[in-house]
Amino acid sequence: MLKIKDNIYWTGHIDWDLRSFHGYSTPSGSTYNAYLLLDDEPLLIDTVKHYGYDDLVAGIRAVIEPSRIKYIVSNHAEMDHSGSLPALLELCPKARVICSPKGAEGLKRHFKRELPLSTVNSGDTLATGKNKFKFFLTPMVHWPDSMVTYLENERVLFSSDAFGQHYASSLRFAEEAGPDIVFKEAAKYYANIILPYGQLVNAVLDALAALDVEMICPAHGLIFRREEDIAKIVSLYRRWANHETGRRSVIINDTMWHSTEKMARRIYQIMRAQDIETSLINLQTTHISDAVTEIMLSRLVIMGSPMLNNHVLPTIGGLLTYIKGLKPRNRKGMTFGSYGWAQAGFKELEDGLAESGIELVSPGHYFQYIPDELELENLNDMAEAVKMVMDT
Ligand code: FEO
């Protein structure tokens, strides 16, 4: 039983073993947060992935019999939050499921059965006794059906995927884990899950700005309850939604015989000579979901690959496909690489960045087989364009 506020209990599941969330690497696992709110008519916010059902039910039973639950709010139909809904409804014969209109469509498509659904729209309210809830639709944060639920009398926002982190912990509050881990995981979450929807995130932030929020309870990870933590995560979301970046670059490469790697390391020196915060990422050892986090934070994206059968290496090709969907904006790009006998495949690298919305600011640097010292010196040509990018 974990009481997070008077009459509010966390009844979720900690997924210690999760290492991939639909392709996003989760070395720290995750949690699926469900929240039980006691009142004349008890209400549950969200369920958990299907294999966390036992924990969900045990968490509820530690407080009340599940049969007393009158409402289950489904903020989001994705199955990390709805997977236990059909089984739980068997224990809650009186419960109605509150969801958005798109949520109703989604839940029906997922579970192919009659569900006791009641739909709500932005601004609709529900009273369960002392508690008064207000709902806000938040389409595409993360799916078209997504919504958040605000408990007016306690000033608690149940924010669904927004402000979440994939981070398994026995702790429940952000300040207990420390800001480094929480905001780092929140950044990775945003970059991999929410990055394409900046405009919609801004609209949601505008709507929520009118609310007095004392606690943010996301559907993943830790809860924000300190005023400074709430202000920081909201301000970071605004920054990320606006595609704002720091004086920062990321150099991403894969390498076959260490020639492209050699170039990457020389480019790193060029960045550091201008005192630019820079990450050097080799996709053989770093997952693409960590690379896109660095892309989200960086103004300049420098990507290199050797040629393999006249194409970029599959790791680079996979990253390009991934970032085309994530649509970063306001980033500049540069390319480099090593080739054996044909350079045509570098167009794939240049086009891939351009199609992702990353504007190339200088011609690519491509050297045959192994770059010699003079060629590595030629990479210094990049310095002027780098300076221009960082000064704008
Ligand atoms: Fe945590 Fe979009 O589900």
Side-chain angles (χ1 to χ4, degrees), residues 21-22 31-32 76-81 141-143 146 160-161 166 189 193 219-220:
F21 186 88
H22 56 51
T31 72
Y32 315 111
H76 182 17
E78 193 165 11
M79 284 189 289
D80 46 334
H81 310 296
V141 188
H142 158 227
W143 275 8
S146 294
S160 190
D161 280 343
H166 281 315
Y189 190 92
I193 302 279
H220 298 286

Side-chain angles (χ1 to χ4, degrees), residues 7 19 53 96 171 214 276 387:
N7 294 317
R19 291 295 175 267
Y53 173 77
R96 288 210 66 78
L171 306 173
E214 280 184 6
I276 296 162
K387 189 170 182 318

Side-chain angles (χ1 to χ4, degrees), residues 6 13 23 32 41 85 181 220 243 263 273 353 361 389:
D6 277 349
H13 172 68
Y32 315 111
E41 297 177 309
L85 181 60
I181 186 71
H220 298 286
H243 293 274
M263 297 170 72
L353 285 178
V361 290
V389 168

